[in-house]
Amino acid sequence: MIRLLFGLTPLLLCACVSTSNGSGGARNDKDAAQANMQLGVAYMQQNNLPVAKEKLERAAKQAPRNADVHSALAYLYERLNQPKQAENEYRTALRLAPDNSEVSNNFAVFLCRNGHTEEALKRFEAASQDRLYRTPWAALTNAGVCLRGVKRFDEARASFERALRMRPNHAEAAYQLADLQLNQQQPDAASKTIDNFLTMAASPDLLLLGVRVANARGDRVQRESYARRLRRDYPNSAQVRALPELMQ
């Protein structure tokens, strides 16, 4: 399974903002833009894209130099299948905040999805090297996914391994590495990757992948162990519902 990690900056959602009397029109516009941005992101998360578009475009008019607004609007245009508008908004956001690695990572995700692999990889690498970026391991994981998508498997594996060295309990990097190893007919290596991660944490995706890996290895005991833990820890998950087909 190939998937990219998108980090949308304005995730702290609040429908109200505080304003102070005498703060001036510029301050009021800034507060209004912040409120509209947060509402736009909330509507996007609810898949109400028309209202999200209205809120985010209004925020961009109120605060045209706010990089977070342009980044959120770019992602909305991606969701609306308007890649040209999305690219324009990402480039605007980066022009306004050239050192914002979260925006750079998001733009790189967009570039990878649209076939601009080399520019995407440069941006992922730059984000991973930024000491102020909160999740550099996510950029490395994204780089690995991007490389895997163009069948550069050795480089992809190295990128996932770098992400795990940086953040050993990063579930997505562990999942992507183990899934790649399984698809490259290396079930023993995949099993080791999964088991190393499960000593620190768990995720339903990795446990279900563990079932697939155990099947590939012909290890029914290990398969039942993963399945039992999945049922116990994530009883209502989609992964549990997918188990019967793998347990035959």
Side-chain angles (χ1 to χ4, degrees), residues 173-188:
Y175 175 88
Q176 291 291 347
L177 177 58
D179 189 59
L180 175 60
Q181 290 166 330
L182 178 61
N183 278 275
Q184 291 194 303
Q185 310 302 316
Q186 299 171 346
D188 290 344

Side-chain angles (χ1 to χ4, degrees), residues 39-217:
L39 286 169
V41 172
Y43 282 116
M44 228 191 316
Q45 291 176 328
Q46 296 165 12
N47 208 35
N48 190 340
L49 301 186
V51 178
K53 184 173 184 286
E54 175 190 340
K55 297 296 182 184
L56 291 173
E57 288 182 343
R58 186 179 302 171
K61 290 179 181 178
Q62 292 164 330
R65 298 190 59 78
N66 186 318
D68 288 342
V69 170
H70 288 286
S71 182
L73 193 53
Y75 183 52
L76 172 67
Y77 285 139
E78 280 195 74
R79 296 275 302 275
L80 292 171
N81 196 28
Q82 297 176 358
K84 186 61 178 177
Q85 293 90 328
E87 181 174 351
N88 288 340
E89 291 297 330
Y90 276 126
R91 293 196 185 278
T92 297
L94 285 169
R95 186 177 69 250
L96 294 170
D99 297 324
N100 188 323
S101 289
E102 187 164 352
V103 174
S104 188
N105 173 74
N106 294 346
F107 185 33
V109 169
F110 167 83
L111 291 167
C112 181
R113 286 173 176 160
N114 287 275
H116 303 293
T117 304
E118 292 307 322
E119 184 179 357
L121 292 174
K122 289 177 182 177
R123 291 188 178 278
F124 286 137
E125 182 62 27
S128 76
Q129 297 294 326
D130 183 359
R131 292 176 180 266
L132 298 179
Y133 185 35
R134 294 174 299 171
T135 57
W137 49 86
L140 289 172
T141 304
N142 282 340
V145 171
C146 198
L147 287 160
R148 185 178 177 185
V150 293
K151 303 187 185 305
R152 291 161 62 174
F153 300 123
D154 290 344
E155 293 171 86
R157 183 174 60 253
S159 195
F160 296 141
E161 289 171 347
R162 284 179 63 196
L164 287 170
R165 285 196 296 272
M166 188 177 288
R167 184 79 167 188
N169 65 344
H170 182 41
E172 187 63 25
Y175 175 88
Q176 291 291 347
L177 177 58
D179 189 59
L180 175 60
Q181 290 166 330
L182 178 61
N183 278 275
Q184 291 194 303
Q185 310 302 316
Q186 299 171 346
D188 290 344
S191 179
K192 182 177 180 181
T193 297
I194 293 169
D195 287 342
N196 284 344
F197 181 86
L198 291 177
T199 62
M200 298 173 285
S203 84
D205 279 342
L206 269 168
L207 287 167
L208 186 64
L209 181 58
V211 172
R212 290 173 50 211
V213 169
N215 279 340
R217 299 177 70 221

Side-chain angles (χ1 to χ4, degrees), residues 10 14 17 29-39 59 62 66:
C14 175
V17 295
D29 280 349
K30 181 179 178 181
D31 288 343
Q34 184 72 16
N36 279 316
M37 177 180 68
Q38 292 173 335
L39 286 169
Q62 292 164 330
N66 186 318

